[in-house]
Structures are given as structure tokens and as C-alpha cells.
């Protein structure tokens, strides 16, 4: 009973913290602190942070980059990549590979986290970024979260003037991609758009 109570308390704390962070993203003056970084630095940092978790699941994370620099809020983009990698480890089988890559495409850098998991139902590829949305699945209870992770990550990406989306891979797996413009753009508050 103590373990159940502790687990429930931890989940409640996570939910409260994510709701607070979600609301702060749309607060007046929410901004990003852009600093120059290379694509290699950004990818390596995320891969190194998450490799122990992947190893404990008998998975491997592979980092790939095409070179080049970009100005971004390194801490916030690190949060985005960490969340995407965590999701990939949750829903991928043992002995699978998770690929994290970043390459310039036109006037932006495209980041991608690709896994070899079960994929996302086609009708939910956009909905997974909505607040509190969770895909129904047989193991949903064991893999449950707050339902705010991807909504928060979308907010962070849009604060940078970028976009985020998911695609199913063939024959299996999911690829979540997001872009960060090489030049800063001004966007209307992202949560206001999400609510409309």
C-alpha cells in the first residue's frame, strides 16, 4: 500500500509541475534564450543523458548530425529531445535502436527522434500533441503519463518559431520531427492557437 501511495503521489507531483510549466509557456513575456550551439552538441548531450535508461531496457540510442550551428534555447530543446527519447524507450521493444538526428534543411534545422516501436494510430498522429491526450493501448496503465509531455514540447518548439509533427515509419515505429528556424521569427502565443 505504501508503494502504491508513493507512486500515486509522485504522479500527482509530476502532473502539477507539468500543468504549471504548461501555463508558464503561455504567460506574458514567455521567451526563449537563444545561444549558438552546434547540432552535434545538442544531439550528443541528449543521447548521453538518455543512454543509461536505454541500456537498462536493452536498447541503444544512436546520434546522427550533419554539422552546422544554430541559435536556440539549449536547455529547452534539451527538454524536448529528452521527452521524445523517453517516449521512444517506453514504447519500443528490447534490442531496438532509437535514432536522434539533426540536419539543416533549407533555412531551418530539422531534429528527429525515430524508434522501432508499435507506432501511433494514423488518426492520432496530430492529437498526441493535444493537452491530456493519451493513445489508448493495452499497456496504457504501465506506460501512463500526465498527457502533457508532448503538448509542452510543442509549446517550446513553437516559441522558437518551429513546428513539430509525428509520422509512422515502415515497417514499424514512429518518427517525431521538429524544426527550428535558423533565423528568429515572432510567433503569436502558441497556447492561444491551440485553444482556438
Amino acid at each position: 500500500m505504501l508503494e502504491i501511495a508513493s507512486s500515486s503521489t509522485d504522479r500527482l507531483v509530476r502532473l502539477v509541475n507539468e500543468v504549471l510549466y504548461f501555463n508558464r509557456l503561455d504567460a506574458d513575456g514567455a521567451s526563449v534564450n537563444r545561444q549558438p550551439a552546434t547540432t552535434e552538441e545538442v544531439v550528443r548531450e541528449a543521447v548521453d543523458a538518455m543512454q543509461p535508461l536505454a541500456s537498462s531496457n536493452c536498447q541503444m540510442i544512436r546520434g546522427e548530425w550533419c554539422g552546422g550551428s544554430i541559435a536556440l534555447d539549449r536547455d529547452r530543446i534539451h527538454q524536448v529531445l529528452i521527452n521524445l527519447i523517453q517516449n521512444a524507450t517506453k514504447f519500443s521493444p528490447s534490442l531496438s535502436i532509437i535514432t536522434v538526428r539533426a540536419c539543416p534543411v533549407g533555412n531551418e534545422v530539422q531534429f528527429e527522434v525515430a524508434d522501432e516501436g508499435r507506432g501511433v494510430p494514423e488518426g492520432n498522429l496530430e492529437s498526441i500533441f493535444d493537452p491530456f491526450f493519451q493513445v489508448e493501448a493495452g499497456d496504457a496503465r504501465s506506460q501512463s503519463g500526465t498527457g502533457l509531455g508532448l503538448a509542452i514540447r510543442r509549446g517550446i518548439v513553437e516559441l522558437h518559431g518551429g513546428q513539430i509533427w509525428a509520422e509512422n515509419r515502415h515497417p514499424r515505429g514512429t518518427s517525431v520531427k521538429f524544426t527550428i528556424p535558423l533565423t528568429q521569427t515572432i510567433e503569436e502565443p502558441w497556447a492561444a492557437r491551440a485553444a482556438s
Side-chain angles (χ1 to χ4, degrees):
M1 289 184 67
L2 286 174
E3 286 180 12
I4 293 171
S6 176
S7 175
S8 297
T9 301
D10 289 345
R11 186 171 188 278
L12 183 59
V13 169
R14 282 198 313 274
L15 177 60
V16 170
N17 286 336
E18 291 204 338
V19 167
L20 291 172
Y21 190 85
F22 181 81
N23 287 329
R24 274 200 306 268
L25 280 176
D26 194 44
D28 290 340
S31 61
V32 291
N33 178 24
R34 289 176 180 262
Q35 299 293 330
T38 66
T39 55
E40 177 180 356
E41 289 169 338
V42 176
V43 170
R44 273 191 188 276
E45 189 173 69
V47 170
D48 290 347
M50 296 304 294
Q51 193 65 65
L53 174 63
S55 296
S56 70
N57 294 333
C58 298
Q59 299 162 332
M60 186 181 85
I61 305 176
R62 179 174 58 206
E64 299 176 356
W65 51 87
C66 302
S69 299
I70 185 171
L72 44 67
D73 190 320
R74 198 158 164 175
D75 289 340
R76 290 195 179 194
I77 295 304
H78 182 74
Q79 284 181 304
V80 174
L81 288 171
I82 292 298
N83 178 258
L84 297 180
I85 296 169
Q86 282 176 334
N87 287 347
T89 61
K90 277 185 194 177
F91 299 109
S92 294
S94 297
L95 306 178
S96 61
I97 298 173
I98 296 160
T99 304
V100 183
R101 63 174 58 95
C103 287
V105 178
N107 62 349
E108 56 194 13
V109 171
Q110 181 173 285
F111 292 84
E112 178 182 14
V113 176
D115 65 48
E116 298 175 350
R118 66 183 183 214
V120 176
E122 289 292 331
N124 296 141
L125 285 171
E126 176 60 29
S127 302
I128 60 173
F129 297 100
D130 293 342
F132 302 107
F133 181 87
Q134 293 186 337
V135 175
E136 292 295 326
D139 61 351
R141 181 176 294 275
S142 65
Q143 304 293 356
S144 66
T146 62
L148 280 173
L150 288 175
I152 289 172
R153 308 321 153 200
R154 178 173 65 181
I156 291 172
V157 169
E158 292 186 355
L159 277 175
H160 280 80
Q163 295 180 319
I164 187 169
W165 69 96
E167 301 172 352
N168 279 322
R169 304 174 68 209
H170 299 287
R172 63 177 187 169
T174 303
S175 171
V176 180
K177 300 177 182 178
F178 66 92
T179 57
I180 302 295
L182 291 170
T183 56
Q184 187 166 359
T185 58
I186 298 173
E187 292 283 311
E188 62 179 296
W190 67 276
R193 293 201 309 279
S196 62

